[in-house]
Amino acid sequence: MAMNASSSPTKSSDELVLKSKLWNGRDEPRVAFASVSAEEDKPFNFLHVLFDCAIAGGTAGVFVEAALYPIDTIKTRLQAAHGGGKINLKGLYSGLVGNLAGVFPASAIFLGIYEPVKQKLLETFPENLSAFAHLTAGAVGGAASSLVRVPTEVIKQRIQTGQFTSAPDAVRLIVRREGLKGLFAGYGSFLLRDLPFDAIQFCIYEQLLLGYKLAARRSLSNAENAIVGAFAGAITGAVTAPLDVIKTRLMVQGSANQYKGICDCVSTIAREEGISTLFKGMGRRVLWIGIGGSIFFGVLEKTKEVLAQRHFNSQDSSSFKLD
């Protein structure tokens, strides 16, 4: 939105203040939650951000995983099928409960690390490098959460492809046959896919959110946050689709060790099945992650808002008692 050249100095000053607040993601209603403020010397402020982001992230992760699990199962079976093999459409919720038990802590770790790192980087870097702060924070959060996300993903995909019937059986038999390293099968390909995915998705979301706020000159509604999240998810899902196929093949191969690594996996797929196989299930992936982005970021922002309001009410109550 262009600024009026005939505006009074006071109005121009107000617009600059608004722009500054929106740029830093610290609009008035959410300041209690969103930032680690250098202006307030409160020793527990960082811990509040860490705890609240972990709760918000875990909640959002569980919601989106439960809602879209059947689509994820179909996508996994399509990617794991060799050649023109048919896929089984039964048991689309197989392994859901065990997967949610891993998704909550993984998402909590990611957001619990992402938000404080992002805020610190935004305080350190100039405004024109905000995208770099978002990219870096996303990669750091993804790396930290991968220690939980990879075993969760391995177990989930083995169950989805019919190798096991439950999470406890999957853990026991994988460790017995492949050792503890079996739970981290495809770890390199997971990082190859998920670190760029996390970094790109959150960077796109934060930058779109920033542009939307500057244009609208107000905070966004939950529905608007969800729409922005859908765009961010769909774009990122399309860009990282081949990496997702590689990751799935490496994770579900088990003790057969058909592929010796990422490069061997790519060359074998291209030679035996054609390069188009690397884009297998891409349409469903874009749909799944687009809808997932909408749910995840919608629930995330709503949960953050509820937690921020809780802290605000608690502070008001404390002030009232002191008065």
Side-chain angles (χ1 to χ4, degrees):
M1 184 179 294
M3 292 178 64
N4 189 339
S6 63
S7 298
S8 66
T10 301
K11 183 177 180 181
S12 297
S13 176
D14 290 342
E15 289 176 340
L16 288 174
V17 170
L18 173 62
K19 182 176 180 180
S20 175
K21 286 182 179 180
L22 292 177
W23 180 271
N24 288 287
R26 298 178 183 136
D27 43 296
E28 296 293 338
R30 298 190 181 185
V31 69
F33 171 85
S35 65
V36 181
S37 175
E39 297 176 0
E40 298 180 12
D41 187 18
K42 294 183 178 181
F44 296 106
N45 193 31
F46 177 84
L47 293 178
H48 282 166
V49 173
L50 186 67
F51 177 78
D52 285 358
C53 284
I55 295 298
T59 302
V62 166
F63 264 84
V64 70
E65 191 72 17
L68 300 180
Y69 196 80
I71 298 177
D72 182 45
T73 300
I74 294 172
K75 184 264 307 178
T76 297
R77 291 175 181 175
L78 276 171
Q79 291 177 341
H82 294 267
K86 295 182 179 179
I87 64 167
N88 180 15
L89 294 179
K90 295 181 179 180
L92 296 183
Y93 282 95
S94 296
L96 174 61
V97 175
N99 188 54
L100 293 182
V103 165
F104 184 87
S107 299
I109 291 170
F110 177 86
L111 260 296
I113 291 177
Y114 170 80
E115 189 69 30
V117 170
K118 179 192 77 173
Q119 292 296 340
K120 285 298 183 183
L121 290 176
L122 287 174
E123 291 174 1
T124 303
F125 295 127
E127 291 180 347
N128 60 350
L129 291 181
S130 65
F132 179 74
H134 298 142
L135 282 169
T136 304
V140 171
S145 65
S146 67
L147 296 175
V148 176
R149 290 166 71 182
V150 171
T152 300
E153 190 81 355
V154 169
I155 293 166
K156 178 190 75 172
Q157 293 195 331
R158 300 281 182 94
I159 293 174
Q160 287 176 329
T161 53
Q163 297 182 38
F164 305 106
T165 57
S166 68
D169 286 343
V171 173
R172 187 180 70 256
L173 293 174
I174 288 173
V175 171
R176 180 190 300 173
R177 297 170 184 172
E178 305 168 47
L180 192 60
K181 67 179 183 180
L183 294 174
F184 292 88
Y187 187 76
S189 63
F190 183 90
L191 294 182
L192 180 67
R193 182 203 71 170
D194 273 50
L195 292 192
F197 181 91
D198 292 333
I200 293 170
Q201 183 181 34
F202 274 79
C203 180
I204 291 175
Y205 175 74
E206 298 272 17
Q207 293 298 308
L208 287 176
L209 210 61
L210 172 64
Y212 201 143
K213 285 182 177 181
L214 287 173
R217 299 175 58 76
R218 58 174 173 78
S219 297
L220 274 59
S221 67
N222 289 324
E224 290 170 321
N225 286 323
I227 292 171
V228 173
F231 274 103
I235 294 169
T236 311
V239 171
T240 59
L243 300 177
D244 189 49
V245 173
I246 297 167
K247 183 232 29 155
T248 298
R249 289 293 182 92
L250 289 172
M251 282 188 166
V252 303
Q253 66 176 335
S255 57
N257 288 326
Q258 179 183 359
Y259 309 110
K260 295 179 175 61
I262 295 171
C263 293
D264 181 58
C265 181
V266 174
S267 61
T268 301
I269 291 174
R271 182 178 65 253
E272 297 180 358
E273 304 173 57
I275 199 71
S276 62
T277 301
L278 291 173
F279 296 90
K280 206 170 187 179
M282 180 176 176
R284 292 171 180 81
R285 175 173 168 79
V286 170
L287 173 65
W288 165 57
I289 297 181
I291 298 173
S294 174
I295 297 172
F296 180 86
F297 287 108
V299 173
L300 177 68
E301 297 296 345
K302 181 60 180 179
T303 306
K304 286 164 67 175
E305 182 182 321
V306 170
L307 291 171
Q309 188 61 47
R310 187 195 67 182
H311 290 316
F312 181 77
N313 292 339
S314 177
Q315 290 170 4
D316 274 359
S317 176
S318 297
S319 298
F320 177 77
K321 289 178 180 179
L322 288 173
D323 290 343

